[in-house]
Amino acid sequence: MLSIEEKVHKTKNNETVIVLSLTGRLDITTAWQLRLRINECTNKSSRIFVNLGGVDFIDSSGLTSLVAGMRNVDKLKGTFRICNIHPDAKLVFEVTMIDTVFEIYETEEEALRKDGFLLE
């Protein structure tokens, strides 16, 4: 099962940043949920960040849903970032070298502070 919590942040320029915090497994049975949610979010913002701190397992389907989300955001000339990758899932990013494809940050706050997205 995958749980997706959505947080909305406003920047100084009144831009919307949506952070999706995932909990559970991101695999062949749940990847469609993330893909659908990212698509829904791109109707509201072109700045989508995904917090993977609660995802202790990710497979190729999960990685594919993240890549698809990044491509959707890229089409909007937006910003797609991943943060807080769970240590158990980090290995999958490194072994597949997909960690070189994404903008990855250690913490959600770090991802939001980059480019001034986080309001003080």
Side-chain angles (χ1 to χ4, degrees):
M1 191 171 119
L2 182 69
S3 168
I4 304 173
E5 177 191 332
E6 183 176 319
K7 289 185 272 182
V8 177
H9 298 273
K10 290 284 187 184
T11 67
K12 290 175 249 175
N13 301 333
N14 208 32
E15 292 179 271
T16 300
V17 179
I18 297 174
V19 178
L20 298 176
S21 295
L22 281 52
T23 305
R25 294 171 59 93
L26 186 53
D27 59 20
I28 193 164
T29 62
T30 61
W32 65 272
Q33 290 175 263
L34 178 59
R35 194 179 283 214
L36 183 65
R37 191 65 168 275
I38 291 172
N39 283 342
E40 291 170 359
C41 289
T42 57
N43 293 325
K44 299 180 262 183
S45 176
S46 64
R47 310 221 181 277
I48 312 291
F49 298 179
V50 180
N51 184 328
L52 295 176
V55 175
D56 59 358
F57 178 84
I58 187 167
D59 69 6
S60 60
S61 299
L63 292 177
T64 300
S65 65
L66 289 168
V67 170
M70 181 182 66
R71 286 187 176 152
N72 288 346
V73 171
D74 283 350
K75 287 178 192 169
L76 301 171
K77 305 272 189 268
T79 306
F80 186 88
R81 294 182 178 151
I82 294 175
C83 61
N84 197 24
I85 300 175
H86 191 285
D88 293 341
K90 196 172 234 173
L91 183 62
V92 174
F93 280 81
E94 293 167 355
V95 167
T96 60
M97 294 179 51
I98 200 101
D99 58 339
T100 62
V101 173
F102 293 110
E103 245 188 282
I104 298 176
Y105 294 84
E106 287 295 315
T107 66
E108 184 176 315
E109 183 177 322
E110 187 182 326
L112 286 164
R113 284 194 189 281
K114 174 88 162 91
D115 302 327
F117 288 137
L118 184 65
L119 288 176
E120 297 298 329

